[in-house]
Amino acid sequence: MLGVRGLFVPGPTNVPETVRKAIDIPMEDHRAPDLPTFTLPLFADLKQIFKTESGQVFLFPSSGTGGWEAAVSNTLSPGDTVLAARFGQFSHLWIDLCERHGLDVDAVDVEWGEGVPVETFAEKFKADTDHKIKAVLVCQNETATGVQSDVAAVRAALDDAGHPALLFVDGVSSIASIDFRMDEWGVDVAVSGSQKGFMLPAGLAIIGVSQKALEAAQTAKLPRCYFDFADMIATNAQGYFPYTPPMTLIRGLRVSVDRLLAEGLDNVFARHRYLAEGVRQAVDAWGLSLCAKEPKWHSDTVSAICLPDGFDSGELLKHAYHRYGLSLGAGLSKVAGRVFRIGHLGDINELMLLSAIAGSEMAMRDLGVPVTAGSGVAAAEEHFRSANPAAGVKLVAAE
Ligand SMILES: Cc1ncc(COP(=O)(O)O)c(C=O)c1O
């Protein structure tokens, strides 16, 4: 194929040139005497991304799933009750992981397309007067359905009920892209991964942990070894790791964190919203709907788009890939065949996104989906053209 393939799955995302170069280095000694001069400032700067002063951020060589496991296995004991809501494949998989760890999950099933049912959670916190619920799981951005949930509202519900449960957030497809405030929202474990907003290859679980979670780890009985916070704390304090770290990824992370901080997190969040809005305008112009049922659920990192009845999104994905060199996200599990997803997070700009919209549009038309030629592209273009940089969004990420 000539040119570049379009990568618009919601992770792995495109890796910026500066990050790619930072990764492409000779192997190094991970026990070198001067390594801490590199790692200690990085650990400190990661806290800015998570917006925590009192917590710690750990880097585990793993994908995001390992971050889920770290959260659970360090802080909970067999048979503990966990409250969670299932409204997409990723919220489902975290519940499944908890169950496989012998936890008693109170899983509230919610229609796919909606997010965390805060009122139901609030009632459960109030009713749980003997505090059986030890942790509550919130998937801040359900990547399968393109649904964002309100973490602050769950914190408010916990506080309102005076409930001491730990608050765990899956921020795999939100942290470093969508507003996230670990200390302000009282988040106890925040899980992210390298391959989305951090614009790196997969391979690092990046986890923010509160002091309250670290205290819970003192008495928690679930078995753990590889993901043990205690081993990380002991070695990180000197700037090292309990086992061989993926130093190339961590060198890349340094550059990615520099980029995010230089751009400013507020701009990072506004930029994701602005790009997402372009996709949403395109979807409207196509006459299609998002899987996310209401604007309050709209995700700024991924849009899951419903195809009309009678069309198979799996076929659309194959066609877009083979005919136009465009990778889009598949519909997963319950929405398999019905939705396709456009990832709009990480290192992308307006013109890249227009190519994804154009490719989706052409592929849909090729399969007979009744969308008007150019309609989505035109709507997104007009959104981008009318955006006023003076209004505050710096449109191109800082190099
Ligand atoms: C919201 C969310 N949570 C968890 C995961 C699992 O992460 P990983 O595939 O990196 O293990 C993903 C992956 O896409 C995700 O989108």
Side-chain angles (χ1 to χ4, degrees):
M1 160 161 177
L2 290 173
V4 287
R5 284 193 168 275
L7 183 65
F8 290 92
V9 296
T13 62
N14 297 283
V15 178
E17 189 72 10
T18 49
V19 175
R20 281 223 306 264
K21 283 185 175 147
I23 292 172
D24 184 10
I25 48 170
M27 289 306 102
E28 64 181 297
D29 173 7
H30 62 287
R31 300 192 201 281
D34 59 354
L35 191 73
T37 60
F38 166 71
T39 48
L40 293 175
L42 176 61
F43 297 154
D45 289 347
L46 278 166
K47 289 168 58 162
Q48 293 185 53
I49 306 281
F50 281 71
K51 296 202 175 156
T52 181
E53 284 180 10
S54 53
Q56 274 192 262
V57 178
F58 300 128
L59 301 175
F60 285 100
S62 151
S63 73
T65 304
W68 284 342
E69 182 156 335
V72 167
S73 65
N74 277 279
T75 56
L76 299 172
S77 300
D80 276 354
T81 300
V82 167
L83 176 64
R86 180 175 9 234
F87 45 84
Q89 180 66 355
F90 296 102
S91 44
H92 162 69
L93 286 173
W94 202 7
I95 289 169
D96 178 54
L97 181 140
C98 288
E99 286 171 344
R100 292 202 221 174
H101 276 79
L103 298 168
D104 180 10
V105 187
D106 179 359
V108 180
D109 273 295
V110 171
E111 199 183 341
W112 289 31
E114 297 182 6
V116 169
V118 177
E119 278 166 25
T120 309
F121 275 20
E123 282 162 22
K124 286 182 180 277
F125 297 145
K126 285 203 174 125
D128 183 33
T129 46
D130 48 359
H131 298 161
K132 273 182 69 193
I133 300 169
K134 298 295 179 221
V136 52
L137 311 186
V138 173
C139 182
Q140 188 188 12
N141 189 75
E142 173 51 82
T143 321
T145 54
V147 161
Q148 248 173 252
S149 285
D150 188 347
V151 181
V154 177
R155 164 46 60 203
L158 280 165
D159 290 350
D160 193 38
H163 201 292
L166 294 164
L167 174 57
F168 295 167
V169 174
D170 174 343
V172 171
S173 59
S174 52
I175 291 173
S177 311
I178 292 173
D179 192 10
F180 180 78
R181 310 175 193 186
M182 184 161 162
D183 284 0
E184 191 181 320
W185 297 344
V187 174
D188 293 298
V189 185
V191 175
S192 192
S194 49
Q195 77 275 22
K196 302 201 192 249
F198 285 97
M199 305 170 287
L200 286 159
L204 285 175
I206 308 170
I207 307 175
V209 184
S210 74
Q211 293 305 323
K212 183 173 161 188
L214 291 176
E215 264 161 46
Q218 304 290 328
T219 49
K221 300 271 182 313
L222 276 177
R224 53 195 181 264
C225 171
Y226 188 74
F227 290 115
D228 200 328
F229 290 160
D231 298 334
M232 271 292 166
I233 292 171
T235 47
N236 280 185
Q238 278 80 48
Y240 296 99
F241 298 87
Y243 31 65
T244 317
M247 279 312 301
T248 49
L249 288 179
I250 297 172
R251 290 281 174 191
L253 181 62
R254 173 72 267 174
V255 176
S256 136
V257 168
D258 286 344
R259 287 174 65 102
L260 292 164
L261 295 179
E263 180 179 351
L265 289 178
D266 286 346
N267 197 76
V268 170
F269 306 148
R271 171 168 57 81
H272 278 84
R273 168 146 309 162
Y274 156 77
L275 291 172
E277 194 50 39
V279 174
R280 292 193 276 262
Q281 296 285 335
V283 173
D284 263 1
W286 288 332
L288 300 179
S289 56
L290 291 170
C291 185
K293 298 239 176 302
E294 286 176 57
K296 71 170 178 180
W297 304 122
H298 286 171
S299 161
D300 287 334
T301 55
V302 53
S303 294
I305 301 155
C306 302
L307 281 181
D309 288 346
F311 295 97
D312 176 359
S313 63
E315 288 306 312
L316 179 76
L317 255 66
K318 275 190 221 155
H319 182 70
Y321 181 82
H322 290 300
R323 174 69 181 84
Y324 300 113
L326 171 65
S327 281
L328 299 165
L332 301 174
S333 178
K334 249 192 196 178
V335 289
R338 291 184 15 227
V339 311
F340 72 98
R341 295 174 298 151
I342 299 180
H344 30 80
L345 70 167
D347 187 40
I348 54 170
N349 59 29
E350 295 95 329
L351 295 188
M352 291 165 78
L353 205 44
L354 282 169
S355 76
I357 295 168
S360 304
E361 198 165 276
M362 289 192 288
M364 283 192 284
R365 287 178 53 73
D366 292 347
L367 296 196
V369 180
V371 295
T372 304
S375 56
V377 173
E381 276 179 5
E382 289 312 289
H383 166 67
F384 295 144
R385 286 183 60 244
S386 66
N388 176 7
V393 189
K394 189 163 51 142
L395 302 181
V396 180
E399 271 305 311

Tab-separated table of all heavy atoms in Angstrom, residues 10-12 62-68 89-91 93-94 139-144 170-174 191-196 202-205 302 332 341, ligand 1:
chain	number	residue	atom	x	y	z
A	10	PRO	N	-9.824	2.773	18.750
A	10	PRO	CA	-9.629	3.562	19.984
A	10	PRO	C	-8.517	2.978	20.847
A	10	PRO	O	-8.709	2.663	22.015
A	10	PRO	CB	-11.005	3.482	20.654
A	10	PRO	CG	-11.604	2.224	20.132
A	10	PRO	CD	-11.048	1.966	18.771
A	11	GLY	N	-7.391	2.819	20.298
A	11	GLY	CA	-6.219	2.275	20.969
A	11	GLY	C	-5.915	0.889	20.453
A	11	GLY	O	-6.822	0.075	20.358
A	12	PRO	N	-4.634	0.632	20.047
A	12	PRO	CA	-3.529	1.565	20.143
A	12	PRO	C	-3.753	2.778	19.250
A	12	PRO	O	-4.333	2.662	18.164
A	12	PRO	CB	-2.320	0.754	19.668
A	12	PRO	CG	-2.899	-0.296	18.771
A	12	PRO	CD	-4.230	-0.620	19.358
A	62	SER	N	2.604	-4.250	31.493
A	62	SER	CA	1.337	-4.962	31.321
A	62	SER	C	0.456	-4.108	30.417
A	62	SER	O	0.766	-2.948	30.178
A	62	SER	CB	0.689	-5.100	32.701
A	62	SER	OG	-0.693	-5.148	32.630
A	63	SER	N	-0.650	-4.659	29.985
A	63	SER	CA	-1.648	-3.787	29.361
A	63	SER	C	-2.615	-3.323	30.455
A	63	SER	O	-2.426	-3.635	31.635
A	63	SER	CB	-2.364	-4.529	28.227
A	63	SER	OG	-3.235	-5.488	28.767
A	64	GLY	N	-3.652	-2.616	30.066
A	64	GLY	CA	-4.602	-2.073	31.045
A	64	GLY	C	-5.232	-3.147	31.922
A	64	GLY	O	-5.502	-2.916	33.109
A	65	THR	N	-5.450	-4.318	31.357
A	65	THR	CA	-6.078	-5.402	32.113
A	65	THR	C	-5.276	-5.726	33.377
A	65	THR	O	-5.844	-6.014	34.434
A	65	THR	CB	-6.207	-6.656	31.202
A	65	THR	OG1	-6.947	-6.274	30.035
A	65	THR	CG2	-6.905	-7.796	31.892
A	66	GLY	N	-3.950	-5.681	33.259
A	66	GLY	CA	-3.114	-5.903	34.440
A	66	GLY	C	-3.357	-4.826	35.491
A	66	GLY	O	-3.254	-5.088	36.697
A	67	GLY	N	-3.682	-3.630	35.040
A	67	GLY	CA	-3.994	-2.546	35.975
A	67	GLY	C	-5.252	-2.853	36.783
A	67	GLY	O	-5.320	-2.607	37.988
A	68	TRP	N	-6.257	-3.417	36.100
A	68	TRP	CA	-7.467	-3.858	36.821
A	68	TRP	C	-7.072	-4.858	37.912
A	68	TRP	O	-7.545	-4.788	39.038
A	68	TRP	CB	-8.409	-4.599	35.872
A	68	TRP	CG	-9.205	-3.797	34.904
A	68	TRP	CD1	-9.487	-2.462	34.946
A	68	TRP	CD2	-9.870	-4.319	33.741
A	68	TRP	NE1	-10.287	-2.123	33.881
A	68	TRP	CE2	-10.535	-3.234	33.132
A	68	TRP	CE3	-9.971	-5.585	33.167
A	68	TRP	CZ2	-11.297	-3.380	31.966
A	68	TRP	CZ3	-10.719	-5.734	32.018
A	68	TRP	CH2	-11.375	-4.642	31.422
A	89	GLN	N	-18.412	-3.848	26.933
A	89	GLN	CA	-17.504	-4.977	27.041
A	89	GLN	C	-16.425	-4.769	28.104
A	89	GLN	O	-16.000	-5.714	28.757
A	89	GLN	CB	-16.869	-5.248	25.663
A	89	GLN	CG	-15.899	-6.398	25.621
A	89	GLN	CD	-16.566	-7.750	25.879
A	89	GLN	OE1	-17.766	-7.826	26.177
A	89	GLN	NE2	-15.794	-8.811	25.792
A	90	PHE	N	-15.969	-3.522	28.292
A	90	PHE	CA	-14.860	-3.338	29.228
A	90	PHE	C	-15.346	-3.316	30.672
A	90	PHE	O	-14.706	-3.898	31.560
A	90	PHE	CB	-14.018	-2.112	28.826
A	90	PHE	CG	-13.379	-2.341	27.494
A	90	PHE	CD1	-13.887	-1.775	26.339
A	90	PHE	CD2	-12.314	-3.228	27.371
A	90	PHE	CE1	-13.342	-2.057	25.091
A	90	PHE	CE2	-11.756	-3.523	26.131
A	90	PHE	CZ	-12.272	-2.931	24.990
A	91	SER	N	-16.493	-2.668	30.907
A	91	SER	CA	-17.042	-2.741	32.262
A	91	SER	C	-17.372	-4.202	32.587
A	91	SER	O	-17.185	-4.665	33.717
A	91	SER	CB	-18.262	-1.828	32.427
A	91	SER	OG	-19.132	-1.924	31.332
A	93	LEU	N	-15.759	-6.887	31.408
A	93	LEU	CA	-14.531	-7.669	31.636
A	93	LEU	C	-13.920	-7.393	33.012
A	93	LEU	O	-13.317	-8.282	33.618
A	93	LEU	CB	-13.502	-7.376	30.530
A	93	LEU	CG	-13.803	-7.990	29.161
A	93	LEU	CD1	-12.803	-7.495	28.124
A	93	LEU	CD2	-13.778	-9.527	29.229
A	94	TRP	N	-14.070	-6.168	33.501
A	94	TRP	CA	-13.525	-5.878	34.847
A	94	TRP	C	-14.335	-6.633	35.913
A	94	TRP	O	-13.789	-7.165	36.870
A	94	TRP	CB	-13.512	-4.367	35.104
A	94	TRP	CG	-12.530	-3.944	36.158
A	94	TRP	CD1	-11.602	-4.731	36.783
A	94	TRP	CD2	-12.367	-2.635	36.713
A	94	TRP	NE1	-10.872	-3.971	37.680
A	94	TRP	CE2	-11.326	-2.687	37.653
A	94	TRP	CE3	-13.016	-1.410	36.483
A	94	TRP	CZ2	-10.907	-1.572	38.376
A	94	TRP	CZ3	-12.596	-0.298	37.199
A	94	TRP	CH2	-11.553	-0.380	38.135
A	139	CYS	N	-16.145	2.635	35.254
A	139	CYS	CA	-15.444	2.703	33.964
A	139	CYS	C	-15.733	4.109	33.426
A	139	CYS	O	-16.838	4.387	32.965
A	139	CYS	CB	-16.000	1.625	33.034
A	139	CYS	SG	-15.168	1.572	31.451
A	140	GLN	N	-14.738	4.985	33.532
A	140	GLN	CA	-15.004	6.396	33.196
A	140	GLN	C	-15.365	6.558	31.726
A	140	GLN	O	-16.208	7.376	31.379
A	140	GLN	CB	-13.784	7.284	33.512
A	140	GLN	CG	-14.119	8.766	33.363
A	140	GLN	CD	-12.929	9.692	33.463
A	140	GLN	OE1	-11.776	9.267	33.441
A	140	GLN	NE2	-13.191	10.972	33.583
A	141	ASN	N	-14.718	5.781	30.885
A	141	ASN	CA	-15.027	5.856	29.452
A	141	ASN	C	-15.144	4.438	28.913
A	141	ASN	O	-14.133	3.743	28.781
A	141	ASN	CB	-13.929	6.625	28.718
A	141	ASN	CG	-14.308	6.912	27.285
A	141	ASN	OD1	-15.131	7.778	27.008
A	141	ASN	ND2	-13.733	6.172	26.348
A	142	GLU	N	-16.384	4.028	28.666
A	142	GLU	CA	-16.618	2.664	28.145
A	142	GLU	C	-16.320	2.688	26.649
A	142	GLU	O	-17.099	3.229	25.848
A	142	GLU	CB	-18.057	2.251	28.462
A	142	GLU	CG	-18.520	0.945	27.855
A	142	GLU	CD	-17.592	-0.247	28.098
A	142	GLU	OE1	-17.639	-0.871	29.172
A	142	GLU	OE2	-16.828	-0.558	27.151
A	143	THR	N	-15.161	2.136	26.313
A	143	THR	CA	-14.655	2.236	24.944
A	143	THR	C	-15.529	1.455	23.956
A	143	THR	O	-15.546	1.757	22.765
A	143	THR	CB	-13.208	1.700	24.893
A	143	THR	OG1	-12.526	2.119	26.074
A	143	THR	CG2	-12.455	2.224	23.698
A	144	ALA	N	-16.251	0.452	24.436
A	144	ALA	CA	-17.047	-0.374	23.530
A	144	ALA	C	-18.284	0.365	23.011
A	144	ALA	O	-18.757	0.089	21.908
A	144	ALA	CB	-17.485	-1.652	24.237
A	170	ASP	N	-11.610	2.887	36.022
A	170	ASP	CA	-10.960	2.470	34.782
A	170	ASP	C	-10.858	3.729	33.912
A	170	ASP	O	-11.867	4.219	33.398
A	170	ASP	CB	-11.815	1.394	34.092
A	170	ASP	CG	-11.276	1.017	32.717
A	170	ASP	OD1	-10.467	1.791	32.157
A	170	ASP	OD2	-11.673	-0.037	32.208
A	171	GLY	N	-9.628	4.224	33.801
A	171	GLY	CA	-9.400	5.403	32.971
A	171	GLY	C	-8.562	5.057	31.758
A	171	GLY	O	-7.844	5.910	31.226
A	172	VAL	N	-8.649	3.796	31.324
A	172	VAL	CA	-7.772	3.333	30.238
A	172	VAL	C	-7.953	4.197	28.988
A	172	VAL	O	-6.976	4.604	28.363
A	172	VAL	CB	-7.997	1.831	29.946
A	172	VAL	CG1	-7.250	1.397	28.689
A	172	VAL	CG2	-7.549	0.980	31.130
A	173	SER	N	-9.208	4.504	28.653
A	173	SER	CA	-9.404	5.325	27.444
A	173	SER	C	-9.854	6.743	27.788
A	173	SER	O	-10.481	7.410	26.977
A	173	SER	CB	-10.393	4.652	26.490
A	173	SER	OG	-11.640	4.460	27.111
A	174	SER	N	-9.541	7.186	29.004
A	174	SER	CA	-9.895	8.570	29.356
A	174	SER	C	-8.715	9.352	29.928
A	174	SER	O	-8.531	10.526	29.591
A	174	SER	CB	-11.074	8.593	30.336
A	174	SER	OG	-10.843	7.764	31.449
A	191	VAL	N	-6.797	3.406	36.863
A	191	VAL	CA	-6.054	2.509	35.967
A	191	VAL	C	-5.994	3.110	34.565
A	191	VAL	O	-7.016	3.499	34.005
A	191	VAL	CB	-6.769	1.138	35.885
A	191	VAL	CG1	-6.088	0.234	34.866
A	191	VAL	CG2	-6.821	0.485	37.256
A	192	SER	N	-4.797	3.185	34.032
A	192	SER	CA	-4.677	3.582	32.631
A	192	SER	C	-3.700	2.655	31.910
A	192	SER	O	-3.086	1.789	32.532
A	192	SER	CB	-4.239	5.038	32.538
A	192	SER	OG	-4.391	5.475	31.207
A	193	GLY	N	-3.578	2.871	30.614
A	193	GLY	CA	-2.666	2.050	29.822
A	193	GLY	C	-1.902	2.954	28.878
A	193	GLY	O	-2.335	4.068	28.578
A	194	SER	N	-0.770	2.467	28.399
A	194	SER	CA	0.104	3.333	27.603
A	194	SER	C	-0.425	3.626	26.200
A	194	SER	O	-0.047	4.622	25.590
A	194	SER	CB	1.492	2.694	27.501
A	194	SER	OG	1.407	1.334	27.119
A	195	GLN	N	-1.313	2.753	25.682
A	195	GLN	CA	-1.572	2.796	24.232
A	195	GLN	C	-2.749	3.664	23.814
A	195	GLN	O	-3.231	3.546	22.690
A	195	GLN	CB	-1.780	1.360	23.711
A	195	GLN	CG	-3.126	0.726	23.993
A	195	GLN	CD	-3.238	0.068	25.360
A	195	GLN	OE1	-2.497	0.393	26.265
A	195	GLN	NE2	-4.173	-0.846	25.509
A	196	LYS	N	-3.215	4.534	24.715
A	196	LYS	CA	-4.355	5.371	24.298
A	196	LYS	C	-3.956	6.841	24.423
A	196	LYS	O	-3.201	7.343	23.606
A	196	LYS	CB	-5.582	4.983	25.101
A	196	LYS	CG	-5.874	3.487	24.877
A	196	LYS	CD	-7.252	3.080	25.185
A	196	LYS	CE	-7.401	1.593	25.236
A	196	LYS	NZ	-8.189	1.038	24.163
A	202	ALA	N	1.290	-0.416	23.304
A	202	ALA	CA	0.774	-1.115	24.484
A	202	ALA	C	1.957	-1.691	25.265
A	202	ALA	O	3.021	-1.963	24.694
A	202	ALA	CB	-0.153	-2.233	24.043
A	203	GLY	N	1.788	-1.868	26.555
A	203	GLY	CA	2.839	-2.517	27.338
A	203	GLY	C	3.061	-1.951	28.719
A	203	GLY	O	3.796	-2.532	29.507
A	204	LEU	N	2.409	-0.805	29.012
A	204	LEU	CA	2.517	-0.273	30.373
A	204	LEU	C	1.109	-0.087	30.935
A	204	LEU	O	0.261	0.539	30.288
A	204	LEU	CB	3.182	1.112	30.375
A	204	LEU	CG	4.684	1.204	30.167
A	204	LEU	CD1	5.094	2.678	30.094
A	204	LEU	CD2	5.432	0.502	31.299
A	205	ALA	N	0.891	-0.624	32.132
A	205	ALA	CA	-0.291	-0.222	32.899
A	205	ALA	C	0.193	0.908	33.806
A	205	ALA	O	1.209	0.774	34.486
A	205	ALA	CB	-0.822	-1.384	33.725
A	302	VAL	N	-13.912	8.295	21.805
A	302	VAL	CA	-14.341	7.278	20.825
A	302	VAL	C	-15.842	7.442	20.567
A	302	VAL	O	-16.604	7.672	21.499
A	302	VAL	CB	-14.025	5.844	21.313
A	302	VAL	CG1	-14.577	5.571	22.691
A	302	VAL	CG2	-14.512	4.781	20.338
A	332	LEU	N	-18.253	-4.702	19.717
A	332	LEU	CA	-17.835	-5.824	20.559
A	332	LEU	C	-19.026	-6.437	21.285
A	332	LEU	O	-19.930	-5.731	21.741
A	332	LEU	CB	-16.810	-5.344	21.607
A	332	LEU	CG	-15.516	-4.714	21.060
A	332	LEU	CD1	-14.667	-4.149	22.189
A	332	LEU	CD2	-14.719	-5.741	20.255
A	341	ARG	N	-16.716	1.800	15.355
A	341	ARG	CA	-16.222	2.880	16.220
A	341	ARG	C	-15.105	3.662	15.530
A	341	ARG	O	-14.274	3.082	14.833
A	341	ARG	CB	-15.695	2.288	17.533
A	341	ARG	CG	-16.804	1.637	18.362
A	341	ARG	CD	-16.262	0.935	19.580
A	341	ARG	NE	-15.362	-0.152	19.237
A	341	ARG	CZ	-14.349	-0.578	19.987
A	341	ARG	NH1	-14.103	-0.004	21.152
A	341	ARG	NH2	-13.589	-1.585	19.593
B	1	LIG	C1	-11.937	1.169	28.993
B	1	LIG	C2	-10.968	0.048	28.840
B	1	LIG	N1	-10.620	-0.649	29.919
B	1	LIG	C3	-9.748	-1.653	29.852
B	1	LIG	C4	-9.196	-2.041	28.660
B	1	LIG	C5	-8.272	-3.196	28.619
B	1	LIG	O1	-7.019	-2.733	28.363
B	1	LIG	P1	-5.916	-3.614	27.633
B	1	LIG	O2	-6.488	-4.070	26.343
B	1	LIG	O3	-4.795	-2.628	27.505
B	1	LIG	O4	-5.599	-4.724	28.566
B	1	LIG	C6	-9.519	-1.348	27.504
B	1	LIG	C7	-8.940	-1.714	26.207
B	1	LIG	O5	-9.294	-1.234	25.181
B	1	LIG	C8	-10.432	-0.278	27.597
B	1	LIG	O6	-10.773	0.425	26.523
